[in-house]
Each structure stands twice: as C-alpha cells, then as structure tokens.
Amino acid sequence: MLRRVGLSLRHFLLERNSSAGHSSCSREAKMSRPVQARRLEGIDKNIWVEFVKLAATYSKVNLGQGFPDFPPPDFLTEAFTRALGGQNHMLHQYTRAFGHPPLVTVLAQFFKKLLGRDLDPMTNVMVTVGAYQALFCCFQALVDEGDEVIIIEPFFDCYEPMVRMAGGTPVFVPLRPNPPKDGKLMSSADWQLDPAELASKFSERTKAIVLNSPNNPLGKVFSRGELGLIAELCVKHDVLCISDEVYEWLVYDGKQHIRIASLQGMWDRTVTVGSAGKTFSVTGWKVGWVVGPDRLLQHLRTVHQNSVYHCATIAQEAVAQGFQRELRLYGKPESYFVQLPKELQQKRDWLVQSLDGVGMKPIIPEGTYFLVADISQFKSDVPDVPNSDEPYDYRFAKWMIKSKGLAAIPLSAFYSEAHKNNYTNFIRFCFAKEEATLKAANEILQKWKQEKTSS
Ligand code: PMP
C-alpha cells in the first residue's frame, strides 16, 4: 500500500515535470506589466519542492521530509471512519468557521490542564488548516510594514517568507554550538543562545519573536532558564511571542516540554501553535490550532475568515475524539502521548547508532522526530568546491540521494542567507519511520562504510 502511494507520487511528479516543459513551449501570454506581486519577490525558492521531487525520483529510503511512514493510532482512524459513515450527515457540511465546537471545547479543556488557566473555547482557541495556516494567520494578523520579527536559527523555513509577505523584517539570532570537551556526541542542548546577542536584537522596532520548542531541525527542547530569558526580554520590550510547539509531545529522556505561555507575564503576549499532524501522526489531515488571549486571537480570526474560513469538518471531529480519549487517559501508560515518544526515542537511538557507526556524527535530539548529523568526515566522497554557489550540504544531500538512494535535507536550508554559509557541514534526517525503513537506511550506511574502508 505504502509502496503504491510512493509510486503514484513519483509518477505524479514526473508527469508534472514533463507537462511543465510542454507549457513553456506554448505561446506566451502577452502582458507588459509585471504579474507577480512585489511581496513575492525573493521568496519563490522552496527547499521542499526541490528535495521532495529528488527523493521521489531517486531515493530508496526517504528520511528527508518530516512525516511518519507508520500508521496513525487505530482509535483515531476509527473515529474518522465513524464520522464519515455515521448517522450525523451534517459532518459533511461546513462547521463553525473558527473551529468545530467539539474540537475547540476539548482543546480548551486540554490546554487548561497544560497552562493552568481557564480557557474559553470560543475566544481562546482557533482551528486552522495545519500549523502552517496558524503561522500564516499569526504573521498576517500581528506583523506590519516596518516591524521586526526575531527568528532563532536554525528555523522551520516558512517563518522567514511569511514575515516578509506580511511586510515585516526578520532579524536572525543563531543558536551557537558548544561541542562537549570530553569527545562525547553532541546533544541538541549544546546549541544555545548567547544571552547578550539575543538581548541586542530587541529594539523599539521588534514586534514579535518566533520560538520553536522542540525545535525543527535540531530537536532542541528549550530549558526553563532559556525560556525565562526570552520571556523577560519580551516583557521588557513589550514584544509578542509566536510559539510554534507542534512537537510538544515528542520529548525524550524524561525531559519536560515547558510552554512559554505558562511563564509569568507571557499569556497575554503569546500565541501557541499546535498540530494534529505531529500530535497524532496524521500530517495529511492538516488540522492545526492556536491557543492564546482573545486580544490576539481576534485578529487571527479576521485573517482566517478572509482566507480559509472553514477547515474540514470530519477531520476536526476525529481529532476532537482523539483529544477526548487522551484527556481521559492523561499521563497513563495507554495514552498515545505517552506511548509515541517512547517508540520514537527507540527509533532515535537506532539512527544515532547507525550514523555514529559510519562516522556521520549525530547531534542527539532532545525532542521532535528529527536528527541533525555532521558530515565533515565525508569530504572524500563529495569534495568541497571553494566559491561554489551551492552550499556544501546541498551538494552532499543531492549526491547522497542520487548515488546512495538515501534522502536527507541540508541543514543550511534552515538558515538565513546571511548565516547559511556557517552551517554547511550538517544534514537533517527524520526518524519517524517504520523499523523496516530504518533498517534499510542502516544497510545503505553499512555498505557505504565498507566501500569506504575497502577503497
Ligand atoms: N511548524 C513546524 C516546526 C513544523 O515542523 C511543521 C511541519 N513540518 C509545521 C509547523 C507545519 O505543521 P502542519 O503540517 O500541521 O501544517
């Protein structure tokens, strides 16, 4: 079944490619004025378009794009099937624009537990088409021409174009790696903000900071101390926080995910973004949400009602039932939010071992289902080309997909243009995969190692 889906995606991409070629031969429309809106200037390139196509065409094992290749939990797919085939035919129609009532109700109950405050399902929660649309609503609703928005690097790549489309200016501050001195493998916790550097980015022009914890691509889970520092600066400079917490349940080694909205002075200035795609392993359903104070969410509702307006009712109904179950089982061993991170931690450890075994130094992630590895030991396979326009990690990842059949994503794709050249020795893998997929990846890596030692 999975193979069939993979093949048809490949077919689709190849067909689209050839039909694009065909249309370029046809007569061009005669228009003298520019057709592209100015706000799109410089944001037309997208890493995923290129790498999804490469992976679909060449890879045998795809650890590139972030989605699970294992099935979602039965209770969730059963809820979807019940909603689809059940008596309530109104589930096939529009539901409440800002969120299906059962879903916003249970989200309000759930987040009351997590944030320790009463929430009004109608004004403190809004459902979106995945976390992506939640982020889009945040930037469109809260960022104006001339506003600066602080983005912590490395970052989920859509933040920058979304800020720019809203007329804002992104201001980047990198997490700085601090390798352990004892020769141990690095952890995502070894990547830290420099407090003075972070403070220097806040000014009168700063409207918001984007926080992503657990962080894609590094897997860093920000500590209470780090969040406290960010919160203090937000309060001091009257800055909003857009907190992307889509991996909130995927945290390992007993670490705790702390919600910045729960810190002193932060509720009133924070929008927290979540995703059923990551929470229940259903990225294709595209159900996301925002939680926050009405004074911020009322403006997100304005964007939502003038763009997407409604999200798919049946998917919302099924996600609502998923959350109702999780609320009943909260903290119990049967809870999916307890089981999923346990399973993923094991997968993380397998991939860490495989990569370490071949000398591709993994940075152990504290959360998410991503893992960044250092490829600097592999320069003999793909030599550096000084002054090349293409960053080394892009060339390495493309070479690996085509020559080894193993797909990963270059880390510099998660950096701003100004800083990407400092981070070209890393690639990102996704380990939310079946055991068989991870074994197949390990076989490729082992064979590669043998070829290297025998050459
Ligand atoms: N934020 C982060 C950090 C992500 O990694 C992703 C998905 N890769 C999203 C948001 C978008 O989530 P969704 O699929 O729910 O739109």
Side-chain angles (χ1 to χ4, degrees):
M1 176 62 186
L2 275 173
R3 229 183 114 64
R4 221 178 325 131
V5 173
L7 281 176
S8 61
L9 175 64
R10 184 173 302 199
H11 203 103
F12 167 74
L13 289 164
L14 293 174
E15 270 201 345
R16 221 174 43 153
N17 211 13
S18 56
S19 68
H22 176 257
S23 73
S24 68
C25 300
S26 62
R27 269 192 303 147
E28 282 181 14
K30 267 199 191 138
M31 280 192 82
S32 52
R33 69 169 83 189
V35 290
Q36 177 197 293
R38 270 198 306 278
R39 76 180 75 88
L40 302 189
E41 272 166 24
I43 63 161
D44 45 348
K45 275 219 178 103
N46 179 297
I47 170 90
W48 305 110
V49 175
E50 183 179 15
F51 274 82
V52 165
K53 190 167 139 194
L54 270 176
T57 312
Y58 297 104
S59 76
K60 293 196 227 34
V61 181
N62 187 356
L63 303 188
Q65 209 186 352
F67 57 83
D69 72 350
F70 46 76
D74 287 346
F75 66 81
L76 201 75
T77 47
E78 282 159 13
F80 194 100
T81 314
R82 268 197 312 276
L84 187 70
Q87 299 289 312
N88 185 1
H89 62 266
M90 289 315 287
L91 290 176
H92 295 280
Q93 306 306 328
Y94 296 133
T95 181
R96 179 176 165 270
F98 304 120
H100 188 49
L103 181 54
V104 287
T105 303
V106 71
L107 282 170
Q109 291 167 341
F110 215 102
F111 278 86
K112 173 183 177 179
K113 231 182 200 340
L114 303 175
L115 295 172
R117 69 166 54 237
D118 280 331
L119 298 177
D120 177 347
M122 300 300 147
T123 58
N124 295 138
V125 184
M126 183 176 86
V127 177
T128 54
V129 180
Y132 241 108
Q133 193 226 336
L135 290 163
F136 186 76
C137 286
C138 289
F139 295 119
Q140 285 294 318
L142 307 173
V143 176
D144 241 329
E145 297 275 337
D147 285 343
E148 290 186 355
V149 177
I150 299 173
I151 298 178
I152 300 168
E153 292 176 304
F155 58 93
F156 181 49
D157 61 298
C158 74
Y159 303 154
E160 180 179 356
M162 284 195 190
V163 169
R164 291 195 192 282
M165 273 194 285
T169 305
V171 172
F172 300 99
V173 58
L175 287 162
R176 299 207 175 266
N178 232 321
K181 299 212 167 47
D182 51 11
K184 273 207 262 172
L185 286 176
M186 231 202 273
S187 147
S188 55
D190 295 322
W191 290 60
Q192 293 187 349
L193 289 166
D194 173 334
E197 188 178 17
L198 176 66
S200 75
K201 305 290 174 183
F202 283 76
S203 75
E204 274 165 19
R205 292 180 300 279
T206 313
K207 182 70 184 287
I209 182 168
V210 187
L211 171 70
N212 174 214
S213 180
N215 164 275
N216 172 13
L218 268 181
K220 179 182 172 68
V221 178
F222 283 68
S223 68
R224 188 174 286 280
E226 291 169 313
L227 295 175
L229 173 69
I230 296 170
E232 207 178 288
L233 288 164
C234 285
V235 172
K236 181 172 167 196
H237 295 273
D238 194 17
V239 163
L240 303 175
C241 180
I242 298 166
S243 187
D244 179 346
E245 303 185 19
V246 298
Y247 301 102
E248 60 195 316
W249 299 105
L250 310 185
V251 176
Y252 312 122
D253 305 318
K255 268 246 144 72
Q256 202 198 345
H257 168 60
I258 296 162
R259 292 170 176 78
I260 196 163
S262 68
L263 268 52
Q264 179 124 37
M266 288 307 286
W267 165 256
D268 274 336
R269 55 181 73 251
T270 303
V271 181
T272 303
V273 172
S275 164
K278 318 293 173 181
T279 300
F280 290 112
S281 312
V282 285
T283 59
W285 290 18
K286 293 297 292 184
V287 174
W289 56 84
V290 286
V291 173
D294 188 35
R295 78 171 191 117
L296 300 181
L297 258 57
Q298 61 172 311
H299 305 300
L300 273 66
R301 289 195 291 272
T302 307
V303 178
H304 184 74
Q305 80 200 9
N306 290 302
S307 53
V308 167
Y309 208 52
H310 287 93
C311 309
T313 310
I314 287 180
Q316 291 191 65
E317 172 69 19
V319 171
Q321 291 192 27
F323 266 107
Q324 284 157 11
R325 174 193 188 269
E326 289 302 304
L327 195 57
R328 281 194 306 277
L329 297 176
Y330 187 70
K332 302 218 169 94
E334 312 91 278
S335 156
Y336 190 64
F337 298 170
V338 172
Q339 285 176 351
L340 181 64
K342 259 197 196 159
E343 284 169 26
L344 285 171
Q345 183 171 325
Q346 198 176 34
K347 291 174 192 292
R348 175 199 70 170
D349 293 344
W350 283 338
L351 188 59
V352 164
Q353 258 184 5
S354 291
L355 292 170
D356 193 28
V358 297
M360 209 182 269
K361 290 262 167 290
I363 298 164
I364 302 171
E366 306 153 274
T368 74
Y369 42 51
F370 300 112
L371 186 162
V372 169
D374 185 335
I375 50 173
S376 36
Q377 304 292 317
F378 284 69
K379 294 257 154 96
S380 56
D381 292 277
V382 186
D384 230 342
V385 179
N387 306 323
S388 161
D389 280 346
E390 193 169 40
Y392 180 73
D393 55 346
Y394 272 71
R395 284 194 298 113
F396 185 92
K398 286 181 186 173
W399 173 86
M400 190 170 82
I401 296 172
K402 288 184 184 169
S403 316
K404 301 293 171 191
L406 179 61
I409 302 290
L411 183 71
S412 65
F414 300 88
Y415 280 87
S416 60
E417 215 41 54
H419 296 159
K420 66 175 357 140
N421 284 334
N422 302 335
Y423 299 91
T424 57
N425 278 336
F426 301 95
I427 52 176
R428 189 203 75 174
F429 294 93
C430 170
F431 55 86
K433 304 293 171 192
E434 299 263 24
E435 208 177 311
T437 313
L438 293 172
K439 274 195 177 144
N442 186 44
E443 276 162 26
I444 291 176
L445 291 168
Q446 290 303 330
K447 194 162 157 236
W448 188 355
K449 185 185 173 189
Q450 277 162 15
E451 286 163 7
K452 273 163 84 72
T453 40
S454 60
S455 66

